[in-house]
Amino acid sequence: MGRNKFYLFLATACTAGYVWIFVNTVYRTNNFQLNTCIIKHVTDIPCPSCGTTRSMISILNGDFVSAMLWNPLGFVMAFLLIICPLLISYDLLYKKQFLLNTYLRVESYFKIKKVAIPMSLLIIGNWIWNIYKDL
Amino acid sequence: MDAQKVDMFIMTNGKFFEAHQVAIIRDRMLQLDDTKWATIQTMQFKDPTTSLIISLLGGSLGIDRFLIGDTGLGIGKLLTCGGLGIWAIIDWFMIMGATREKNMAKLQQIL
């Protein structure tokens, strides 16, 4: 993937993320809940990242403990949603490709077995916890 | 390289590449010398149909992207429930092309 295509993709993803969070904070009530997770719809079992939205809303409200209890991945997503637009605008302003290079370095790092296996185990553990919590 | 060998390679492995790339691959391989034949013949390519099946079954966990070697995008898909379900559906149509591009990139390291 080229630099511009990658940045366009990432910018679209970030915009979608912010719109999603906005829609959920404004319109979410107990009777009306948006749910786009295919796995949840098909099997009625939560997926590893179910609860991330609720976790991020808790972070927005400053309630970090319940954010952790909803889904720890919410912190990762919140961090990415904050850092990505900043880095994209930095790279576009100064005509650099710091973000793309970092992405490629992190990607090759995650391909190492010693990193990939513990990470997969963490995700699977989180998944089991999600099923146990019945999100 | 011998035209017969090249055509044999194209016949066996043509389905792993985009249609417009096959002619280029053929031209490039004809210019190669015979020492590369053993390496090229034993190369393993990812099957687009397999990745489509994986995408239909485990697309919202990003398994299809992990399979073809796009680890970063796979993690992105995994953490966002398959891009809120939308990216997972788009990938049902994109994944076969993406697999063929990956195969081409792999072959290009030798050509």
Side-chain angles (χ1 to χ4, degrees):
Chain A
M1 206 187 284
R3 173 181 177 268
N4 289 346
K5 209 176 159 191
F6 176 72
Y7 282 15
L8 185 68
F9 172 78
L10 211 57
T12 318
C14 285
T15 316
Y18 276 110
V19 170
W20 175 252
I21 294 296
F22 175 75
V23 168
N24 268 285
T25 35
V26 174
Y27 295 106
R28 191 188 186 92
T29 57
N30 284 333
N31 299 323
F32 177 72
Q33 290 194 347
L34 286 168
N35 191 355
T36 54
C37 183
I38 297 176
I39 294 181
K40 178 98 178 171
H41 276 296
V42 174
T43 62
D44 217 23
I45 295 171
C47 77
S49 50
C50 275
T52 310
T53 311
R54 282 163 278 184
S55 168
M56 276 197 281
I57 291 169
S58 298
I59 292 174
L60 277 178
N61 294 330
D63 191 355
F64 295 109
V65 178
S66 69
M68 194 71 191
L69 291 175
W70 274 122
N71 195 331
L73 288 175
F75 289 101
V76 182
M77 287 307 295
F79 173 73
L80 288 177
L81 271 181
I82 292 167
I83 204 95
C84 281
L86 292 177
L87 288 179
I88 291 173
S89 23
Y90 169 79
D91 279 0
L92 288 183
L93 277 176
Y94 294 97
K95 294 193 169 61
K96 287 181 179 173
Q97 45 177 351
F98 173 72
L99 182 56
L100 182 59
N101 291 339
T102 316
Y103 167 78
L104 291 175
R105 211 177 303 145
V106 172
E107 188 180 38
S108 61
Y109 181 68
F110 273 108
K111 280 180 184 168
I112 305 168
K113 268 187 187 159
K114 275 182 188 165
V115 181
I117 292 172
M119 287 293 166
S120 324
L121 288 178
L122 268 180
I123 292 286
I124 291 170
N126 191 40
W127 195 2
I128 294 169
W129 192 27
N130 271 355
I131 296 171
Y132 178 73
K133 283 184 287 189
D134 197 21
L135 284 174
Chain B
M1 204 180 280
D2 201 8
Q4 209 179 355
K5 280 180 182 172
V6 176
D7 284 337
M8 195 173 86
F9 177 83
I10 298 284
M11 263 198 280
T12 0
N13 297 307
K15 62 180 175 181
F16 297 131
F17 306 101
E18 296 282 10
H20 65 269
Q21 290 167 341
V22 173
I24 305 166
I25 293 173
R26 191 172 186 280
D27 285 347
R28 292 259 189 84
M29 280 182 75
L30 283 173
Q31 289 161 10
L32 279 180
D33 57 304
D34 259 343
T35 48
K36 297 276 177 74
W37 173 242
T39 328
I40 287 183
Q41 205 193 15
T42 49
M43 276 181 94
Q44 294 279 322
F45 298 106
K46 295 274 190 309
D47 194 342
T49 321
T50 314
S51 57
L52 178 64
I53 296 169
I54 301 287
S55 186
L56 289 169
L57 295 174
S60 51
L61 297 177
I63 301 174
D64 49 348
R65 287 287 171 181
F66 286 122
L67 178 84
I68 66 170
D70 271 339
T71 313
L73 292 181
I75 294 171
K77 240 174 135 177
L78 175 68
L79 293 188
T80 58
C81 267
L84 301 175
I86 303 166
W87 185 4
I89 293 171
I90 295 174
D91 254 0
W92 292 347
F93 302 95
M94 302 275 287
I95 197 74
M96 290 182 86
T99 315
R100 292 192 185 107
E101 292 291 335
K102 283 278 167 188
N103 284 337
M104 186 63 193
K106 195 177 177 185
L107 184 64
Q108 236 155 11
Q109 290 173 350
I110 292 186
L111 290 181

